[in-house]
Structure formats: structure tokens, C-alpha cells
Amino acid sequence: MTADDATPSRVPVRAELDDVVPYGAPQADVAVRLNTNETAEPPPREFLAAAAARIEALDLHRYPDREHVALRAALARRHNCDVDQVWAANGSNEILLELLQVYGGPGRQAVVFRPSYSMYPELCRTAMTPVIEIDLDDDFAYSADTIDAACAAQPDVIILASPNNPVGTVVDASTVRALHERTAALIVVDEAYIDFAPERSMSPLLETLPRLVLVRTFSKAFRLAGARLGYLVARPWVVDDVQKVRLPYHLSAVTQTIGELALANESSFLAHRAEVAAERDCLASALAQLPDVEVFASAANFLLVRTGRDDVFHELFARGVLVRDFATRPRLTGCIRVTIGTPAENAAFLAAFREILGAPTT
Ligand code: PMP
């Protein structure tokens, strides 16, 4: 045996990562990409020129403002709250991870619901936080049983999405209030898609529920998935606590600048929302007319569609249309999720979908 054989050539991962497949929707190069709930329309052109000029003027040889005060001030104006109530990071995923690192961890308990955003259990695992997944009822709503089960787990952190991904349903204030009243947990409402249904935000509850945290992102309605920017709104103690786990200078000067510009031009960034909602409703009614197809009501920029078949994703892919496949996922068998794209993309999806189901093409 040589000296080399005697020393291991690699280090094993920690045991709970052994069988982990890295998370991520396929990034395939196809004509119609409707699988990751981005906005199909790019940000307004004039903004891109302004962003380039601002980025050129940055002192990139210096670290960025660690506290990203200018961006937080703009976010605070948006939410009519104080600067010390907002905190931003590289996408809402990083915000969720920070919250779990602070309030979860070994010996703590997180509760999430099913079906919901499948990153939640993964983030819990990364933050070494035991997690219980509680089933929503058959309509994907928060029934009394669901709420009872969540409270019985005596969680330290509860995470729910509203609108929920992949269903599109929004949570009621009464559910959030009940979870807050009946537990001592941090109640995290992930409002990644709420800019498509702003009147359903839980933000009015921030005033009365001290352990409520809202998580937002620029990746969906703001059309800035490529910029990687998310944030939270909460009581100042949450922002203080998050400092304990944040990396120094985590938010690049480029990201901060893009966020500030987007907030200064919010109405043009969000101007496409009405068109997305109209396209969504039009697609939903066209799909609902097809035999043996169930479409779930959605307040977001996607639709969950049940056909009962498990080959629809692959058949669509073969026709150059990429959607999200949930066909074999518990509670979602026979389902796909389709992001609302441009009118042409939606039409291409519908035509391919009809062809696969053997439905007439008009
Ligand atoms: N929450 C939900 C419910 C999502 O669907 C997504 C993205 N698919 C995220 C959070 C993460 O978004 P990002 O990290 O891009 O802000």
C-alpha cells in the first residue's frame, strides 16, 4: 500500500446529505420556458440603460454598504414602516435560510405545509432544523385540522406561502392569526407572489402580530429573477437577530443598485401585472373546458393543472414546452404547473397540451 492509498482521497458529506439530489428545476434550452414562475417580459428598457450607468459609477473596488441602508430605506417607504423593520438578501431563499439559522437549528422545530414550495424542507435540512410537513386539506386549504396539527407540533418556526406555490391559493388572515395566537412560533408568510394579488397581503397584520414575518422577492412580479434580491418585513428584533447569521457584505453593490432603481420605478416594473392576470384567467378557462382536466384557482402567475396522466410533462417537453412536473409528487399526482408567459407562449402551451390530450385544437 502506498502512502496515497492510506490517506482518504475525499471527505464524506455529513450523513443527512448522503442521498440529497441538488434542488433545481431543469434549465433546458427550449422555445417555451414556463417552469420557474419568472415573468416572461424583461424589465422596462429605459431602466436597463439607467442601471448600466449607475453600475458603471459604482466603486467596485470597495465593499458595498453592509447594512444596505439606501435600499432598505426605499423598501421601508414601500411598506410604510421603519428602516429597522426591513432586511434584504440574495433572493428570498437566502432570507428564509437566515430565519431558519436564527430561529431553527438542532433541538428546534419547524412546521411547513404540503403541498407547498418544496425548498422549505430542504432549507430546514440545510439549517439542521427538524421539520414536520402537515397536509393541507383536499382543496389545499388550511382546515381546522391542519391548524390544530401545526399548533400541536409546538413549532419554533412556521413557514407558509401565500399565494401558495404550486397551487396559487392565498391564506386568510384568520389562519395566520390562529397560528400566531396558538403557538409561540415565528410565523413566516412567504409572499413571493403577492405582488400579483397585493390586496391579499398579510401586511396589515404586522401591526398586531409581533412574531409575524413577511418575506418578499423581486424574482416574480418585479421581473428581476436574475438580480437575486429578496427581503423581509418584520419587527426590528427580527432584523437585529438576523445580523447574527448574515455574511459580511452579503448583498453586492450591483444588487443593491438594481433594487433601488426598481423601487424608484415600481409602477413601470409592475405594469405588466394586469396582462399576466388576464392571460392567466383566459388560459384557465380554456383549460377548464377540456375533458378530464382540473385547473386550480390561482392568485399568482402560474396555474396548477391536473390531468391524472404522468406523461404530460415529457410530451410537452418533446414539443418544446417546458413546465414543472409534479406528476409523481404526493398530493399532486397527475399535476403539472405552468407559468403564465407571453400570449404567444401561452398559446403554444395550450396548442401542445390540447394535442397531447387529443382535444380539438380550436
Ligand atoms: N418562495 C416561493 C414560494 C417561491 O416559489 C420561490 C421561487 N420559486 C421562492 C420563494 C424563491 O425565490 P427567490 O429566491 O428567487 O427570491
Side-chain angles (χ1 to χ4, degrees), residues 12-78:
V13 297
R14 58 183 163 98
E16 65 272 31
L17 297 181
D18 248 350
D19 298 327
V20 169
V21 178
Y23 177 90
Q27 288 195 303
D29 191 13
V30 293
V32 181
R33 273 170 37 190
L34 303 175
N35 71 328
T36 42
N37 296 345
E38 301 135 317
T39 292
E41 297 289 352
R45 282 216 73 75
E46 64 278 15
F47 154 79
L48 296 176
R54 293 265 305 261
I55 288 166
E56 215 172 344
L58 288 173
D59 284 334
L60 284 177
H61 59 300
R62 298 289 185 193
Y63 282 115
D65 175 8
R66 193 172 45 214
E67 309 280 324
H68 51 283
V69 174
L71 174 61
R72 285 166 66 201
L75 289 169
R77 279 195 295 279
R78 176 168 207 240

Side-chain angles (χ1 to χ4, degrees), residues 23 36-37 90-94 96 117 120 161 163 165 190 192-193 216-220 225 228-230 337:
Y23 177 90
T36 42
N37 296 345
N90 297 283
S92 51
N93 272 328
E94 186 176 54
L96 292 166
Y117 182 37
Y120 297 150
N165 174 9
D190 176 354
Y193 301 94
R216 298 287 191 97
T217 182
F218 282 69
S219 298
K220 309 301 178 184
R228 307 303 301 125
L229 182 59
R337 188 198 65 201

Side-chain angles (χ1 to χ4, degrees), residues 7-346:
T7 55
S9 60
R10 62 183 289 172
V11 178
V13 297
R14 58 183 163 98
E16 65 272 31
L17 297 181
D18 248 350
D19 298 327
V20 169
V21 178
Y23 177 90
Q27 288 195 303
D29 191 13
V30 293
V32 181
R33 273 170 37 190
L34 303 175
N35 71 328
T36 42
N37 296 345
E38 301 135 317
T39 292
E41 297 289 352
R45 282 216 73 75
E46 64 278 15
F47 154 79
L48 296 176
R54 293 265 305 261
I55 288 166
E56 215 172 344
L58 288 173
D59 284 334
L60 284 177
H61 59 300
R62 298 289 185 193
Y63 282 115
D65 175 8
R66 193 172 45 214
E67 309 280 324
H68 51 283
V69 174
L71 174 61
R72 285 166 66 201
L75 289 169
R77 279 195 295 279
R78 176 168 207 240
H79 288 277
N80 203 14
C81 67
D82 294 330
V83 176
D84 61 2
Q85 292 186 262
V86 292
W87 180 254
N90 297 283
S92 51
N93 272 328
E94 186 176 54
I95 292 284
L96 292 166
L97 182 60
E98 287 181 343
L99 291 171
L100 286 164
Q101 286 173 323
V102 175
Y103 302 107
R108 295 284 183 109
Q109 182 66 62
V111 157
V112 302
F113 299 90
R114 195 167 62 175
S116 192
Y117 182 37
S118 52
M119 266 304 285
Y120 297 150
E122 310 236 351
L123 290 165
C124 289
R125 187 193 55 229
T126 303
M128 298 197 260
T129 306
V131 59
I132 298 178
E133 288 184 75
I134 292 173
D135 280 337
L136 296 174
D137 71 13
D138 289 342
D139 298 326
F140 302 139
Y142 297 85
S143 64
D145 285 350
T146 315
I147 296 172
D148 286 349
C151 298
Q154 299 192 307
D156 300 282
V157 183
I158 299 176
I159 306 177
L160 58 89
S162 180
N164 194 13
N165 174 9
V167 187
T169 38
V170 283
V171 73
D172 284 331
S174 58
T175 299
V176 175
R177 256 193 232 103
L179 293 170
H180 194 281
E181 261 163 35
R182 293 176 49 195
T183 68
L186 192 79
I187 313 291
V188 180
V189 180
D190 176 354
E191 296 191 329
Y193 301 94
I194 205 69
D195 289 309
F196 292 107
E199 70 290 351
R200 302 303 303 270
S201 170
M202 290 298 117
S203 53
L205 297 187
L206 282 167
E207 191 91 3
T208 47
L209 305 185
R211 287 175 278 108
L212 175 63
V213 179
L214 302 185
V215 177
R216 298 287 191 97
T217 182
F218 282 69
S219 298
K220 309 301 178 184
F222 266 95
R223 319 190 231 179
L224 283 170
R228 307 303 301 125
L229 182 59
Y231 63 97
L232 65 78
V233 190
R235 294 287 168 101
W237 56 266
V238 174
V239 174
D240 284 347
D241 290 347
V242 164
Q243 308 301 310
K244 295 173 194 276
V245 298
R246 59 115 179 95
L247 295 174
Y249 316 112
H250 67 296
L251 202 60
S252 86
V254 174
T255 311
Q256 294 184 33
T257 301
I258 291 175
E260 287 164 36
L261 259 167
L263 289 166
N265 301 283
E266 178 172 333
S267 54
S268 39
F269 270 77
L270 297 179
H272 62 104
R273 284 181 300 179
E275 184 181 338
V276 170
E279 279 289 311
R280 176 195 64 212
D281 296 344
C282 189
L283 185 58
S285 51
L287 290 168
Q289 282 162 23
L290 299 174
D292 303 323
V293 172
E294 186 179 3
V295 189
F296 295 84
S298 169
N301 64 336
F302 55 80
L303 289 169
L304 185 70
V305 185
R306 179 169 269 148
T307 61
R309 288 169 52 160
D310 62 8
D311 61 342
V312 173
F313 169 83
H314 297 283
E315 291 293 335
L316 285 168
F317 190 69
R319 290 164 176 80
V321 180
L322 185 59
V323 298
R324 197 68 196 265
D325 190 19
F326 292 110
T328 57
R329 182 82 66 81
R331 310 292 313 281
L332 296 172
T333 44
C335 287
I336 55 163
R337 188 198 65 201
V338 56
T339 305
I340 305 307
T342 61
E345 288 172 329
N346 302 332

